[in-house]
Amino acid sequence: MTNVRVAGVGLTHFGSHPERTSRDLFAEAGAVALEDAGVPREDVESVFYGNFMGEVAEHQGHTGPLAAEALGVRAPATRYESACASSGVALRQAVKDVRNGEADVLVVGGAERMSHVGTDETTEGLAIAADDLYEVRAGLTFPGAYGLMARAYFEEHGGSREDLAHIAVKNHANAVGNEHAQYQKEITVEQALDSPTVASPLHLYDACPITDGASAAVLVSDDYADEHDLDAPVAVTGTGQGGDMMALQDRASMAASPAADDAAAEAYDDAGIDADDVDLAEVHDCFTIAEVLAVESLGFAERGDGITAAREGETRKDGRIPVNLSGGLKAKGHPVGATGVSQLAEVTSLLRGDHHNSDAVSGARVGVAHNAGGTVASATVHVLEVLD
Amino acid sequence: MARDAGYDDFLDALADGTGYYLACENDHGSLPPRRVCPRCGGDLREEPLPETGDVASYTEVHVATPSFVDDAPYVTAVVDFGPVNLTGILRGVDADDVETGMTVTVGVDGGASAEGEAGGDGGETGDAETERSVVFEPR
Ligand SMILES: [Zn+2]
């Protein structure tokens, strides 16, 4: 079976681009990825595209072909939707296609345009990732759902708002120097604690911002990389996906993310590694509590211990397992459909050594990307490794 | 407003004080609309919903969707009824006084037309102004 080599990656600036269509954002990220890969457009055999709220935000469905044509690629294209894990699931399908020998060159990525419709509409748009009958009609928002999870976690395992604030502080610090990041400034624990309530116990600084942006990557087979003498030292060596009941009310516990547990177990097994082998991770911190659940699902902390991982320095830049060296969704931003592949781009750069935080993890060989949809009713985990 | 078969029948029953849940031969609880048990695929029967439940988790929502903006801030809670949990809006208690474990009763709010039509059949009149919500109140 061939390796799935990450030949190139591309990102737009993540932030407020209210006048740019998602197709235009994707065209930029895709062009950067093709340039980075040194792969000509005409070699691309298919486009795998993640997008969540095109219908709501841009009155646009059927966004796969539109993304491909914006990129200048004449090839079949499919849009994948799995809420915030949209491009994570797109990536998984692309990886499988290369492995199966279906294709030698694929573009995978995603885009989202959100900031132009305002907070009310974005809140409504994000809420469609929850169960409409049983959650949205009970007034539940996306932050509200994570508020329920945070409260359940505190009840079950202990922890405090201050523990969560340390996650926000860490991720903001990591984003300083990331030219793609929405917020490139440090914050303090006091600022996080004093920010307004969004959905208790979560406050504004526990939440990722509303973000426009796009991501892309070029995946190639070993044969193609060798024939074209590509410099592509990083490969996707493991892929996993998990699922769960949509509504929080139907889960055995609201203080865990079993879909991500399953995705991690599958991806680690696929790559032949375990949690101890991982040097760094990009995880889905749409809210600070989500990073806690992710760190536990990935096996970097025991259940109930993830809450203090940032506060105690374990997941900081100089810690045992640096998490979200990009700034994470919290500071880098969360253009929903683009996030999964943007994590792949960050991990690839960190492992190649051309990331703004590469010095913190010099010699790193194994990185993980954890992407979650909704309240983790879907999750993907991918393992990336530097090939010998 | 269109009815959602199964779900709106469930709300009608809740509003009438005859709430139910679904159970399979393995006694997995679930809520409609279901054709099979989501956990084991088994056949389903209706069982009476316990009259009270305990708050399992809650959040005070300050930033709401457009349909709930006028209500914010409000408390949304997940309540444990034993075989099933149910999500709804918690009324009749100050947000600062809400605690997990507190016992609540369940009902249905909203869905009435401007003329004040309410009750079990209100949902199918077609002129309902708002979608109905599950609501809890401290016992
Ligand atoms: Zn069952």
Side-chain angles (χ1 to χ4, degrees), chain B residues 23-29 37-44:
Chain B
C24 68
E25 58 263 40
N26 295 314
D27 291 324
H28 300 134
C37 171
R39 299 189 191 280
C40 70
D43 292 337
L44 298 172

Side-chain angles (χ1 to χ4, degrees), chain A residues 16 59 69 78 88 92-93 100 119 129 134 138 157-158 166 168 200-201 212 237 278 288 291 300 313 337 358 361:
Chain A
S16 184
H59 200 245
E69 88 178 47
T78 307
R92 178 168 160 82
Q93 298 312 313
N100 292 341
T119 303
Y134 283 102
H157 301 299
H166 279 274
S200 71
D212 308 307
T237 57
V278 180
T288 47
E291 179 164 313
F300 305 150
S358 284
V361 287

Side-chain angles (χ1 to χ4, degrees), chain A residues 143-155 159-162 164-165 192-193 195-207 287-289, chain B residues 57-62 76:
Chain A
Y146 275 90
L148 290 173
M149 295 165 88
R151 178 98 55 201
Y153 189 98
F154 290 167
E155 290 286 329
S160 66
R161 284 194 54 223
E162 191 165 348
L164 295 179
L193 290 174
S195 63
T197 310
V198 176
S200 71
L202 302 179
H203 287 229
L204 187 62
Y205 279 33
D206 288 299
F287 299 91
T288 47
I289 184 66
Chain B
S57 190
Y58 64 94
T59 178
E60 189 185 25
V61 177
H62 288 248
T76 291

